[in-house]
Amino acid sequence: MPDCVDRSLRGWPVKIGRNDPCWCGSGKKFKKCHLYRENAEPVKVSEVLRSFRVAAENKTCLHPNAGASTCGQPIRSHTIGKSAGLTTIARRGHVYRFKADLEDIFSSKRRNLPILEGLNRASTFPGFCAFHDSDLFRPIDAEPFVGSTEQVFLLMYRSVARELYAKLVFRKATDIMATLDQGKPVDVQHAVQGLSLLASLGGELGLADVASMKQQLDRDLLGSSVDNTRFVIYWLNTKPPLLCSAATQPNRDVLGHPVFDLVSSGVTGSHVACNIVPTDCGGAIVFSWLDGDRHADRYFETLNGIPLKEVPGVVVVHAFDTFENIFAQPDWWEGLPDGLRIELMERFQTVNIQGFSPPPESLILRVMAELDGHVTETTVRL
């Protein structure tokens, strides 16, 4: 066997000795990693699916006091309340889910998105135990939403916790991604590892950011203080046909205009939560963030400049542009004009590293025409 092997490709080292660190960055010796990788048995789709499923279903509890002595049974927690939220838009116990799950991605029987999903599964993630989920979120799951600062804080907390969990799962997914070059030619190995590296670096940046936000919220939770919570609530006169629980970095405002650059800015801990919930009198669109977040303040400035009559349409388009955890009333979605459904799905499925293009005014107006409700008043806490 040769002592070193030529592995030159677009900047990778020209020659690597058998005992040198592997070019892929795994930390293993080359002979224990990518030497003769092209001769390895390719990874089976079933193995990939199983690995992803294990990563995605790893139950945990993200409460700051979580531990063996305090936690109950691990569960899949609803990010949108089942009885107080999802039931209001369900048809025969199902709502439309827009994000593809593992079965949709790898199944031989391709299913078109969106997909009708049962209420027991819709909007859930394995991020809290039964005790902490019930105890912590009782004010938003078992009580009517009235827009108290405590309720807004809990909506934001749960949205950020879900985002943190998604980032942790993505970290595991990039590790799995790095194994997909087994049995592939060397140039394909380089391509796979390059994509895996880029995904990993981006994922780590996102994870660090949302983890910083979660730590700030944990301090407020443990200190029984919601004084840092800032929000704007748009009260609707009818129950919304689209529900949402999400958190995002406000690098772009609700109209798609840049606020800051994710990569070069060095910003950490900047997040805005968006929740669309039903209420006893209709519904509420809730944007929340923490005091002192100047980027979130700029995000709100754009919101504040939108005429109230346009807010519901703008927010629905923004939800499809930006968030994953959204769920629609089946009758409403199926009743939309075909062209509008197609355009919203195209925007939802678009992945663009530069960000989403600002929505055309015509799209917002078409969405507004399909919404029965309007904003009756606002509540602002700055």
Side-chain angles (χ1 to χ4, degrees):
M1 292 184 183
D3 290 333
C4 58
V5 179
D6 188 342
R7 286 293 185 266
S8 60
L9 181 70
R10 297 191 181 123
W12 293 110
V14 175
K15 290 186 182 294
I16 302 175
R18 292 168 50 81
N19 292 310
D20 289 339
C22 187
W23 57 264
C24 72
S26 66
K28 300 177 182 178
K29 290 183 178 180
F30 180 46
K31 66 181 181 182
K32 296 290 186 180
C33 192
H34 271 80
L35 181 60
Y36 307 122
R37 183 87 153 203
E38 57 270 30
N39 299 325
E41 184 72 21
V43 178
K44 296 179 180 178
V45 171
S46 59
E47 294 174 356
V48 175
L49 180 57
R50 183 168 55 253
S51 297
F52 274 118
R53 186 180 290 115
V54 169
E57 296 296 330
N58 181 31
K59 293 182 173 65
T60 187
C61 184
L62 295 173
H63 192 282
N65 286 336
S69 62
T70 60
C71 283
Q73 180 72 21
I75 63 169
R76 291 191 64 90
S77 305
H78 279 86
T79 54
I80 300 171
K82 178 181 174 182
S83 59
L86 293 169
T87 300
T88 67
I89 64 169
R91 182 180 66 195
R92 294 188 291 276
H94 289 76
V95 295
Y96 270 120
R97 164 175 58 82
F98 294 87
K99 182 180 183 296
D101 64 13
L102 296 176
E103 299 297 337
D104 304 320
I105 296 171
F106 292 103
S107 175
S108 59
K109 298 180 180 180
R110 183 172 177 82
R111 298 189 295 176
N112 293 325
L113 294 170
I115 291 172
L116 285 170
E117 187 162 63
L119 298 187
N120 288 336
R121 184 78 177 182
S123 90
T124 62
F125 78 117
F128 291 97
C129 70
F131 170 74
H132 285 120
D133 183 68
S134 174
D135 182 66
L136 178 59
F137 299 115
R138 184 175 291 110
I140 53 177
D141 286 341
E143 300 174 13
F145 183 76
V146 295
S148 70
T149 304
E150 179 191 22
Q151 287 181 316
V152 172
F153 172 84
L154 291 174
L155 287 174
M156 176 167 52
Y157 189 91
R158 187 153 61 182
S159 296
V160 170
R162 180 200 172 275
E163 187 68 15
L164 174 61
Y165 188 86
K167 291 292 192 294
L168 291 170
V169 171
F170 184 77
R171 168 190 273 177
K172 297 176 183 178
T174 57
D175 293 337
I176 299 169
M177 187 189 306
T179 69
L180 299 182
D181 63 353
Q182 290 182 195
K184 306 297 183 183
V186 174
D187 58 340
V188 175
Q189 293 176 32
H190 286 159
V192 170
Q193 294 302 320
L195 290 173
S196 177
L197 177 61
L198 287 175
S200 178
L201 291 174
E204 289 302 312
L205 286 173
L207 177 58
D209 185 86
V210 73
S212 175
M213 176 73 166
K214 174 67 162 48
Q215 289 171 358
Q216 296 178 65
L217 293 171
D218 282 341
R219 288 193 291 269
D220 289 347
L221 178 66
L222 295 176
S224 300
S225 172
V226 293
D227 291 344
N228 290 324
T229 303
R230 300 291 177 263
F231 60 83
V232 56
I233 303 174
Y234 298 95
W235 298 98
L236 306 172
N237 67 330
T238 59
K239 295 192 183 299
L242 188 80
L243 302 183
C244 170
S245 173
T248 184
Q249 291 176 292
N251 61 304
R252 287 181 176 264
D253 61 27
V254 292
L255 295 177
H257 302 132
V259 174
F260 67 91
D261 183 80
L262 281 174
V263 177
S264 63
S265 65
V267 174
T268 58
S270 179
H271 267 76
V272 171
C274 175
N275 290 267
I276 306 175
V277 298
T279 67
D280 285 350
C281 299
I285 300 169
V286 186
F287 288 95
S288 53
W289 61 97
L290 290 178
D291 184 37
D293 186 341
R294 69 182 189 280
H295 300 294
D297 290 340
R298 288 183 59 191
Y299 186 96
F300 169 71
E301 288 173 5
T302 301
L303 268 174
N304 195 40
I306 298 172
L308 289 183
K309 67 178 182 179
E310 297 181 13
V311 166
V314 168
V315 172
V316 167
V317 174
H318 182 55
F320 276 91
D321 276 1
T322 310
F323 307 131
E324 296 178 343
N325 198 39
I326 60 176
F327 298 86
Q329 183 183 56
D331 290 342
W332 175 77
W333 178 256
E334 293 168 4
L336 296 179
D338 290 346
L340 181 55
R341 287 203 311 271
I342 291 171
E343 188 167 356
L344 289 174
M345 281 305 302
E346 286 177 346
R347 295 186 72 88
F348 181 83
Q349 295 172 332
T350 297
V351 178
N352 184 341
I353 196 170
Q354 299 301 321
F356 298 97
S357 60
E361 179 68 20
S362 60
L363 175 60
I364 295 172
L365 293 175
R366 288 158 59 206
V367 170
M368 287 171 56
E370 302 297 331
L371 298 172
D372 295 331
H374 61 268
V375 176
T376 58
E377 61 179 312
T378 61
T379 302
V380 179
R381 185 174 191 269
L382 300 178

